[in-house]
Amino acid sequence: MGLRVQFLLAASLMFVASMLVLGTWIQGRIETDWRQSAIAATGRFLDDVLGDHVGELLSNPDPGSGEAARRLTAEIGGSLGKEFAAITVWNTQGNQVFSTRRHAMEQVLPEEVRTGVLAGETMVRPRGAAFHAEHSAVMRVYAPIFNPLTGAIVAIGGADQRSGEIDRLARAESMKTWPIVGAATVVMVAFLYLLVTNAAATIEQQQAALVRQAQRARRLGRRSAVLARLAEQARHDAMVAIEKTLARVGSDIHDGPIQRLAILALRLGESDAGRGLGADMQQVVAELRDITGGLALPELEGEDLEGAIKLAVAGHEKITGGKVALRLDPLPPQVRKSLKVSAFRIVQEALSNGFRHGGGADQAVHAQTCEGYLVLTISDAGSGFPDPPPQADGASPCLASLASRVEAMRGDIFVARVEPHGARVQVLLPLGLRPARAAEAL
């Protein structure tokens, strides 16, 4: 069952229940008002019919058997069988002075009834056990009888009125409200149905549009992910290509200009005049060979990540003659070539910077993995960084070069001063193309 139908059924039930309650309340009010009107009409009837005869009745020593009583009985006789079971008159002291059925009503009025009627009220009390042979419902009405000339209350009239007809007319009148209530309910439910239908159509259209947009977003997301991986792959390939280009440039310099400079230095050294100049040229050739040796990347094709780091450490020890404490935790055997090249260059450059600025004292390298990252820590016990240490991407050319390599790999670099003296560089390189960043985990 759809949401539209569920809402419509729930709202319809709520409206029907509410209208039933409202209709029942209105019906009760109409019936009550109708009965009140009937009671007031009975009071006026008693005053109109009995008012002209009450003076003569009260003046007769035996009111119930006099000529006035007979005329009154004849005058109201036509109404007795239709609407009234009995009509009675009491004086203002509450004593019965006339009744069409003497024993049908009280001989002496209850004090609360007498007091209320003398105050001008028309009162109703439940009918007593008298006249139990009458099968129709009866209500007992008490009303004041006024003197037509003075307007003073001179007696109390009472009537046992058959209420069956009154109840029937009241119900008939109240039933007229139900078609109105039903029509109002139908109109409101129909209006609600239109509102719900329009709202449901709008919601369905918006849902369809959202589904289309979500599908389009997913397609764009997949395309973006593919493009991001292609860009990442291209970046890694570019790094490898740059290293190969540098190696080729170093090889060309070594095989070309350096060889010719070396021959020229030898020839100059054979003559006395050029012997000093030849020694200087030999020094220049040595420096150029060192430079081109740094440009030329060692063969890493057959090495894993651990082997690349060991080659960088061994090369540094060979050039400087120092000793580096190397600690290697278990490293993944298969990684991308760009990661091996970057790890080699970072260890090589960080050790070289430590040797140049810190004297190479107690140099150490520690390699480990943590949450998808290769973590390289290079430290020494030299003079260390100033306090506070410089930013990795600041003005220091050495740190800027390291930071550039790390940034190219989408990694992080941290530098710190080691107390009492020394420096530490920590680098995080992602093992995959786009792993979650784990710098906060270390």
Side-chain angles (χ1 to χ4, degrees):
M1 187 181 295
L3 181 62
R4 181 192 314 183
V5 178
Q6 293 179 14
F7 181 80
L8 184 61
L9 287 177
S12 298
L13 290 175
M14 181 187 68
F15 268 116
V16 170
S18 301
M19 297 309 285
L20 283 174
V21 173
L22 178 62
T24 303
W25 180 81
I26 293 175
Q27 181 181 11
R29 291 297 304 172
I30 291 176
E31 292 180 1
T32 300
D33 292 344
W34 189 273
R35 289 189 180 92
Q36 291 295 332
S37 298
I39 292 170
T42 300
R44 290 192 298 271
F45 171 80
L46 291 174
D47 183 43
D48 292 341
V49 172
L50 301 178
D52 295 335
H53 304 279
V54 69
E56 187 177 354
L57 282 173
L58 294 176
S59 63
N60 193 325
D62 186 10
S65 60
E67 183 63 25
R70 286 193 294 273
R71 287 199 305 270
L72 181 58
T73 301
E75 184 174 342
I76 64 177
S79 302
L80 285 175
K82 296 180 180 179
E83 296 186 22
F84 302 103
I87 292 179
T88 303
V89 178
W90 295 269
N91 59 25
T92 55
Q93 286 74 37
N95 299 314
Q96 186 182 111
V97 296
F98 170 81
S99 179
T100 58
R101 293 186 181 184
R102 183 172 297 274
H103 300 291
M105 293 191 179
E106 302 93 333
Q107 295 296 317
V108 179
L109 279 178
E111 184 61 26
E112 67 271 14
V113 175
R114 188 184 75 86
T115 304
V117 174
L118 291 179
E121 298 181 16
T122 299
M123 303 184 66
V124 179
R125 292 188 69 195
R127 180 179 178 276
F131 267 156
H132 55 82
E134 298 289 345
H135 297 293
S136 60
V138 174
M139 65 177 180
R140 181 161 292 174
V141 180
Y142 303 91
I145 308 298
F146 295 92
N147 187 314
L149 299 177
T150 65
I153 297 176
V154 294
I156 298 172
D160 273 351
Q161 187 172 9
R162 294 185 176 92
S163 59
E165 183 66 15
I166 295 176
D167 292 340
R168 186 187 66 80
L169 293 175
R171 283 194 296 270
E173 193 67 23
S174 64
M175 290 300 291
K176 295 179 181 179
T177 62
W178 285 107
I180 300 174
V181 171
T185 303
V186 170
V187 170
M188 287 188 288
V189 171
F191 181 69
L192 177 65
Y193 176 78
L194 292 177
L195 288 179
V196 172
T197 301
N198 292 334
T202 303
I203 292 173
E204 289 172 357
Q205 293 175 358
Q206 292 177 348
Q207 286 178 339
L210 287 174
V211 169
R212 291 193 298 270
Q213 292 178 359
Q215 292 174 346
R216 182 181 178 186
R218 283 194 293 268
R219 289 195 297 270
L220 291 175
R222 287 193 292 268
R223 293 176 184 174
S224 298
V226 171
L227 291 175
R229 287 187 171 273
L230 290 176
E232 193 78 3
Q233 181 65 47
R235 186 172 57 81
H236 283 268
D237 293 342
M239 291 178 60
V240 175
I242 290 172
E243 293 294 341
K244 289 181 178 180
T245 301
L246 290 174
R248 187 170 58 252
V249 170
S251 178
D252 291 342
I253 295 174
H254 182 273
D255 296 339
I258 290 179
Q259 297 299 332
R260 297 171 72 178
L261 283 173
I263 294 173
L264 181 59
L266 289 174
R267 294 181 61 183
L268 286 174
E270 294 175 354
S271 63
D272 295 336
R275 185 170 291 117
L277 183 58
D280 292 337
M281 291 189 67
Q282 288 288 353
Q283 181 64 31
V284 171
V285 169
E287 292 179 0
L288 287 174
R289 281 175 175 164
D290 289 339
I291 293 173
T292 55
L295 290 176
L297 190 67
E299 183 57 47
L300 299 178
E301 289 294 340
E303 300 289 345
D304 56 10
L305 181 58
E306 183 177 327
I309 296 173
K310 287 181 177 179
L311 281 177
V313 172
H316 178 77
E317 289 177 337
K318 181 179 179 181
I319 294 174
T320 62
K323 185 64 177 177
V324 177
L326 176 62
R327 189 176 67 165
L328 297 173
D329 290 354
L331 301 177
Q334 300 293 332
V335 296
R336 302 176 63 82
K337 185 176 180 179
S338 58
L339 180 61
K340 290 193 295 184
V341 173
S342 297
F344 177 86
R345 288 299 192 191
I346 289 169
V347 172
Q348 183 186 54
E349 188 169 349
L351 287 174
S352 178
N353 291 339
F355 184 82
R356 185 180 307 116
H357 300 290
D362 297 332
Q363 287 190 295
V365 175
H366 179 206
Q368 61 178 325
T369 59
C370 179
E371 297 186 7
Y373 280 80
L374 170 65
V375 183
L376 298 172
T377 305
I378 301 95
S379 61
D380 61 55
S383 57
F385 294 114
D387 192 15
Q391 296 296 320
D393 55 354
S396 173
C398 300
L399 290 179
S401 176
L402 274 177
S404 177
R405 287 187 179 278
V406 173
E407 183 180 0
M409 289 295 293
R410 304 284 179 88
D412 292 292
I413 180 171
F414 305 94
V415 296
R417 178 183 178 88
V418 179
E419 297 298 338
H421 48 75
R424 182 178 68 242
V425 176
Q426 190 174 64
V427 174
L428 282 73
L429 300 177
L431 293 172
L433 286 179
R434 298 179 68 85
R437 300 181 70 84
E440 295 83 356
L442 298 175

